[in-house]
Amino acid sequence: MPAGGPLIGPLASDGSVYVAVAHSAVTLAPVIGRLVAAEIADGRSAEQLRACRPRLS
């Protein structure tokens, strides 16, 4: 897992690259998977993942 915690969200400013990196445990994998799938399919950001967003430069 990254030192700052999970990284989940668009990695490129145009949204062409999406990253989802977290601890290998399966506890939250189903929830994260559903939220990521909804974000990619609907194009709307999931509020629950706000704290996990990669910092874009």
Side-chain angles (χ1 to χ4, degrees), residues 19-53:
V19 66
V21 180
H23 189 275
S24 60
V26 298
T27 306
L28 295 176
V31 173
I32 292 171
R34 281 193 297 270
L35 291 170
V36 166
E39 281 196 337
I40 292 171
D42 299 338
R44 291 182 292 181
S45 294
E47 181 64 27
Q48 300 92 325
L49 298 175
R50 184 172 45 89
C52 301
R53 299 297 183 205

